[in-house]
């Protein structure tokens, strides 16, 4: 049948199969993020259509045909359809594997393609997700930076999260039972361990024993059998334990928050009692999972980023059963097919990187003699990151405090300025830096200057090659104004430094320094594998230099 239709992505044919399980991920057609993606669907038969379920909510131009289930259908057409077109679509297709389904009469044919990361390795991407999620649950999910498009609207996000919560509660007892059974009957490999023991005490001997045997010695090198639990299936299932534990803790916090909110509502006692019962069940599960993860068996098992499911996990009823439950909790809407390959419900990678750099900025300051207040440092994993989120840091050594601000527009007029908004600009399209560090003298609340950090999901050497980025960085450095500093000396620029933070690159490929003043601009590589120590040293030295310049050299506010 597949000879009667053809599907092309960027001119390359997609291979189809009647069975989705026969799809070969090793030969998958792969494209980089932000790469234009042109689809052509040709067929010589009627009553045939194509769908890409994971792109159902994606704003694809020229597709407005919906069936009675509100699913997007694409029909044969010689005119290309752009799944992504960089010039006209701000929202990129997220990294992951996408399944294409061709429907003909009552038959389905399955193909696939993959969107790969542009400027990060998969390992760094996963570590970045973990860093963000470990800081505050939910920061890595839902909306896109532009605000014009959300992969899942707020109501749908709520439904997905609510469904996941209900699934966890439903499977709570089964998860605990399977986890305990796995701990009692873990998979293992028998290995030999050799020890010198007194002759006559040995239970077993082998070739190595005979090789080291000596009539002159009272000792013999004898083997003993030991069970090794640190093997791939146990490493895989420990990751499952950890994920279930994290979901359970998140769900417990959600339920406690809901219970607190409905406490004063009328006729809420029955609902509150049900929520308390669920909290009690989940608390028991958390206790059981924590003890198993840190117990005598799995406490010695390493955790790894397992890309493929070990065959022995699939063949073991307990291991496979627990993994399937985790899949169903993570994908509650896919009740009939928990193995749907697409599972990346994250923000686009550029936004993730921006959030991650903000978190790393906070941690760098926290490790450099600044005491934080508010937000992630209050140990509340339900904190949310909004535009304009502000975290204050007090210096432990100087009369200085910092306001670290995330993704906030600079004000347009002087009357809008205050201690949390010390800068104004008349530029309307370059007025929202990713991260801003405002520096103040603590005893008098005098503003001393700012450092701007711009997180760029691109390679380091490309920053100065893009005219748009070039103009943006210069605008951040030159356009913001602070009236108080202007009154003292119009030559003082409030922006002490602009740091462009790149996700990857090679130090050997240099930035075009002729276009940037080295005293004002810095270019750094920062990702989960490299650059944090240099980044921490750079921003703290810039803060110290600005404080020294304003107070000690210029004797302003001294």
């Amino acid at each position: 049948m597949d000879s009667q239709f053809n599907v092309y992505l960027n001119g390359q044919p997609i291979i189809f199969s009647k069975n989705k399980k026969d799809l070969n991920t090793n030969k998958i057609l792969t494209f980089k993020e932000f790469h234009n993606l042109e689809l052509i669907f040709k067929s010589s038969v009627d009553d045939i259509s194509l769908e890409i379920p994971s792109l159902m909510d994606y704003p694809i131009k020229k597709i407005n045909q919906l069936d009675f289930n509100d699913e997007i259908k694409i029909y044969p057409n010689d005119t290309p359809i752009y799944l992504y077109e960089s010039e006209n679509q701000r929202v990129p297709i997220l990294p992951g594997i996408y399944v294409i389904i061709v429907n003909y009469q009552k038959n389905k044919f399955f193909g696939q393609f993959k969107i790969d990361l542009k400027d990060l390795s998969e390992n760094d991407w996963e570590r970045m997700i973990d860093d963000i999620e470990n800081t505050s649950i939910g920061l890595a999910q839902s909306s896109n930076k532009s605000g014009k498009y959300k992969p899942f609207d707020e109501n749908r996000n709520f439904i997905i999260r609510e469904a996941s919560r209900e699934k966890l509660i439903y499977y709570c007892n089964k998860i605990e039972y399977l986890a305990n059974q796995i701990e009692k009957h873990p998979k293992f490999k028998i290995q030999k361990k050799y020890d010198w023991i007194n002759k006559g005490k040995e239970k077993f001997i082998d070739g190595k024993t005979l090789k080291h045997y000596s009539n002159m010695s009272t000792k013999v090198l004898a083997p003993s059998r030991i069970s090794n639990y640190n093997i791939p299936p146990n490493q895989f299932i420990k990751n499952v334990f950890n994920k279930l534990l994290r979901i359970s803790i998140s769900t417990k916090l959600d339920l406690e928050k809901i219970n607190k909110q409905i406490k004063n509502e009328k006729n809420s006692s029955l609902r509150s009692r049900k929520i308390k019962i669920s909290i009690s069940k989940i608390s028991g599960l958390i206790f059981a999972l924590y003890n198993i993860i840190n117990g005598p068996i799995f406490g010695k098992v390493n955790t790894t980023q397992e890309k493929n499911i070990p065959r022995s996990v699939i063949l073991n009823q307990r291991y496979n059963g627990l993994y399937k439950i985790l899949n169903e909790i993570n994908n509650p809407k896919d009740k009939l097919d928990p193995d749907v390959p697409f599972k990346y419900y994250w923000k686009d990678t550029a936004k993730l990187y921006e959030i991650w750099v903000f978190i790393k900025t906070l941690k760098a300051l926290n490790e450099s003699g600044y005491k934080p207040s508010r937000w992630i440092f209050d140990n509340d994993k339900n904190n949310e990151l909004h535009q304009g989120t502000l975290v204050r840091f007090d210096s432990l050594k100087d009369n200085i405090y910092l306001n670290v601000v995330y993704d906030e527009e600079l004000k347009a007029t002087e009357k809008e300025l205050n201690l949390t908004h010390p800068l104004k600009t008349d530029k309307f399209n370059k007025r929202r830096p990713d991260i801003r560090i405002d520096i103040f003298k603590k005893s008098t609340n005098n503003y001393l200057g700012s450092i701007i950090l711009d997180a760029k999901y691109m390679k380091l050497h490309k920053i100065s090659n893009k005219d748009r980025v070039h103009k943006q960085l210069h605008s951040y450095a030159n356009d913001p104004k602070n009236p108080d500093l202007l009154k003292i000396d119009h030559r003082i620029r409030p922006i002490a430094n602009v740091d462009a933070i790149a996700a990857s690159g090679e130090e050997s490929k240099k930035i075009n320094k002729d276009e940037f003043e080295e005293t004002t601009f810095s270019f750094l590589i920062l990702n989960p594998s490299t650059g944090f120590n240099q980044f921490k040293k750079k921003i703290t030295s810039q803060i110290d230099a600005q404080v020294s310049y304003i107070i000690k050299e210029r004797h302003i506010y001294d």
Side-chain angles (χ1 to χ4, degrees):
M1 169 63 210
D2 60 343
S3 62
Q4 297 183 42
F5 70 84
N6 292 287
V7 179
Y8 302 92
L9 277 177
N10 291 357
Q12 301 182 61
I14 298 286
I15 298 171
F16 283 83
S17 170
K18 286 186 178 180
N19 191 336
K20 188 165 63 174
K21 293 180 180 179
D22 293 337
L23 295 176
N24 188 344
T25 55
N26 294 323
K27 295 181 179 179
I28 190 168
L29 204 57
T30 301
F31 304 91
K32 292 286 187 182
E33 286 176 293
F34 304 97
H35 195 289
N36 285 353
L37 213 54
E38 178 188 275
L39 182 142
I40 294 178
F41 178 30
K42 295 184 176 182
S43 179
S44 59
V45 298
D46 297 325
D47 193 24
I48 190 168
S49 65
L50 178 152
E51 59 181 301
I52 308 174
S54 297
L55 293 183
M56 189 177 72
D57 292 312
Y58 191 77
I60 300 172
K61 290 194 172 185
K62 298 183 182 178
I63 296 181
N64 53 12
Q65 301 142 310
L66 302 176
D67 70 1
F68 62 91
N69 287 320
D70 288 337
E71 292 180 345
I72 293 174
K73 301 290 186 183
I74 300 173
Y75 298 98
N77 196 326
D78 290 334
T79 304
I81 292 174
Y82 278 95
L83 302 183
Y84 176 69
E85 191 175 15
S86 58
E87 291 183 3
N88 298 315
Q89 289 166 257
R90 294 190 62 186
V91 184
I93 297 178
L94 306 184
I97 295 175
Y98 293 77
V99 174
I100 300 175
I101 303 172
V102 172
N103 302 290
Y104 177 65
Q105 295 177 350
K106 295 183 179 181
N107 297 310
K108 288 183 181 290
F109 300 86
F110 300 92
Q112 61 183 356
F113 66 95
K114 183 180 180 183
I115 302 297
D116 218 348
L117 293 155
K118 177 173 71 76
D119 288 318
L120 280 175
S121 68
E122 286 192 20
N123 183 51
D124 277 346
W125 186 83
E126 289 169 358
R127 287 172 62 188
M128 191 169 73
I129 293 287
D130 287 340
D131 279 349
I132 295 171
E133 290 294 280
N134 288 336
T135 298
S136 189
I137 294 165
L139 293 190
Q141 295 175 343
S142 78
S143 64
N144 173 271
K145 181 176 180 179
S146 69
K148 295 181 180 178
Y149 164 70
K150 296 182 179 181
F152 299 94
D153 60 41
E154 290 179 5
N155 185 51
R156 226 173 137 193
N157 267 329
F158 173 78
I159 291 169
I160 290 171
R161 189 165 181 175
E162 181 75 15
S164 293
R165 190 158 54 224
E166 291 303 316
K167 283 286 182 183
L168 178 70
I169 295 167
Y170 176 78
Y171 282 119
C172 214
N173 293 336
K174 189 171 182 179
I175 292 170
E176 189 170 345
Y177 171 77
L178 287 173
N180 284 325
Q181 287 297 305
I182 289 170
E183 186 186 34
K184 288 178 183 176
H185 308 284
K187 300 189 77 63
F188 60 89
K189 283 186 177 180
I190 298 295
Q191 292 183 336
K192 287 183 181 180
K193 179 185 176 185
Y194 290 87
D195 294 295
W196 290 99
I197 61 175
N198 292 327
K199 284 181 178 178
K201 298 287 186 181
E202 66 273 16
K203 294 181 179 179
F204 308 101
I205 62 170
D206 60 9
K208 192 171 181 179
T209 306
L210 297 174
K211 183 179 178 181
H212 291 84
Y213 189 85
S214 173
N215 290 324
M216 305 296 293
S217 173
T218 60
K219 300 281 187 179
V220 63
L221 186 64
S224 59
R225 293 185 175 92
I226 60 169
S227 300
N228 176 23
Y229 297 101
N230 191 26
I231 56 175
N234 287 338
Q235 292 167 355
F236 181 89
I237 209 67
K238 186 173 181 179
N239 279 337
V240 173
F241 287 151
N242 280 320
K243 288 174 184 176
L244 287 169
L245 178 60
R246 191 170 72 182
I247 293 168
S248 300
I249 292 170
S250 173
T251 301
K252 182 173 179 282
L253 291 170
D254 280 348
L255 290 174
E256 288 172 344
K257 199 172 184 178
I258 292 168
N259 201 38
K260 188 177 180 181
Q261 288 171 347
I262 68 169
K263 188 168 60 175
N264 298 321
E265 294 179 8
K266 291 182 180 180
N267 304 318
S268 64
S269 58
L270 179 60
R271 186 182 175 199
S272 180
R273 190 159 62 247
K274 288 182 177 178
I275 290 174
K276 286 178 180 176
I277 291 170
S278 296
I279 291 172
S280 178
K281 285 175 67 176
I282 293 170
S283 296
L285 177 60
I286 291 170
F287 180 77
L289 288 172
Y290 180 84
N291 285 338
I292 291 169
I293 290 167
N294 297 284
I297 301 295
F298 285 93
K300 297 176 182 178
V301 173
N302 296 332
T303 53
T304 60
Q305 293 293 338
E306 190 73 48
K307 294 288 192 291
N308 300 310
I309 306 173
R311 183 176 177 81
S312 53
V313 168
I314 297 172
L315 297 176
N316 185 287
Q317 188 176 0
R318 299 184 187 98
Y319 283 62
N320 194 30
L322 196 64
Y323 173 64
K324 282 185 174 179
I325 289 174
L326 174 64
N327 263 352
E328 193 163 344
I329 291 170
N330 280 336
N331 302 281
K333 66 190 185 114
D334 300 319
K335 293 172 186 172
L336 300 178
D337 188 4
D339 298 319
V340 173
F342 179 79
K343 56 182 180 292
Y344 297 114
Y345 290 69
W346 312 111
K347 291 184 171 86
D348 69 82
T349 316
K351 187 64 176 177
L352 280 175
Y353 183 67
E354 179 186 302
I355 294 170
W356 182 79
V357 171
F358 178 69
I359 290 170
K360 286 298 177 183
T361 302
L362 303 184
K363 292 187 176 180
L365 294 171
N366 189 36
E367 293 178 10
S368 303
Y370 293 92
K371 181 182 177 182
S373 61
R374 297 182 57 195
W375 206 58
I376 64 170
F377 300 98
D378 60 11
N379 296 318
D380 181 0
K381 287 293 183 74
N382 286 299
N383 277 303
E384 295 182 9
L385 180 60
H386 301 289
Q387 291 176 352
T389 292
L390 183 152
V391 183
R392 172 169 167 156
F393 285 82
D394 289 282
S395 174
L396 298 177
K397 58 181 180 179
D398 297 317
N399 184 25
I400 298 297
Y401 75 87
L402 312 172
N403 283 341
V404 185
V405 187
Y406 172 74
D407 192 25
E408 181 183 68
E409 279 192 353
L410 302 182
K411 299 303 180 182
T413 62
E414 188 171 332
K415 67 180 181 180
E416 297 177 90
L417 301 186
N418 52 43
L419 289 176
T420 56
H421 306 97
L423 295 167
K424 71 181 187 73
T425 181
D426 56 4
K427 300 293 182 181
F428 287 92
N429 58 344
K430 297 180 180 64
R431 58 186 303 174
R432 178 177 276 170
D434 296 336
I435 302 159
R436 195 180 78 242
I437 302 175
D438 298 329
I439 309 167
F440 295 88
K441 186 175 180 180
K442 192 187 303 183
S443 57
T444 58
N445 280 332
N446 291 124
Y447 171 72
L448 305 182
S450 296
I451 295 166
I452 285 177
L453 308 180
D454 203 47
K456 296 296 183 189
Y457 179 56
M458 61 177 64
K459 288 182 168 56
L460 182 69
H461 71 277
K462 290 185 178 180
I463 289 176
S464 66
N465 296 331
K466 289 185 178 289
D467 186 59
R468 177 181 58 82
V469 176
H470 177 280
K471 290 178 179 177
Q472 181 186 46
L473 296 178
H474 276 87
S475 180
Y476 285 159
N478 299 315
D479 295 332
K481 301 290 186 288
N482 175 266
D484 294 334
L485 289 179
L486 274 174
K487 289 173 187 175
I488 295 168
D489 190 335
H490 70 277
R491 294 170 297 179
I492 297 176
R493 289 191 306 192
I495 306 302
N497 297 92
V498 175
D499 297 334
I501 315 298
S504 62
E506 300 174 28
E507 294 291 346
S508 58
K509 293 183 177 180
K510 296 295 184 182
I511 292 288
N512 185 354
K513 295 291 181 67
D514 293 338
E515 299 182 13
F516 297 95
E517 302 170 43
E518 289 194 34
T519 55
T520 303
F521 298 94
S522 295
F523 302 90
L524 304 168
I525 296 171
L526 180 64
N527 59 52
S529 296
T530 188
F532 179 70
N533 288 333
Q534 182 186 1
F535 170 72
K536 179 170 66 174
K537 184 178 179 181
K538 175 64 74 173
I539 61 173
T540 53
S541 66
Q542 289 172 347
I543 293 166
D544 292 342
Q546 181 65 6
V547 172
S548 177
Y549 172 70
I550 295 293
I551 295 179
K552 296 179 181 178
E553 293 182 31
R554 298 300 304 273
H555 302 289
I556 301 171
Y557 307 133
D558 61 357

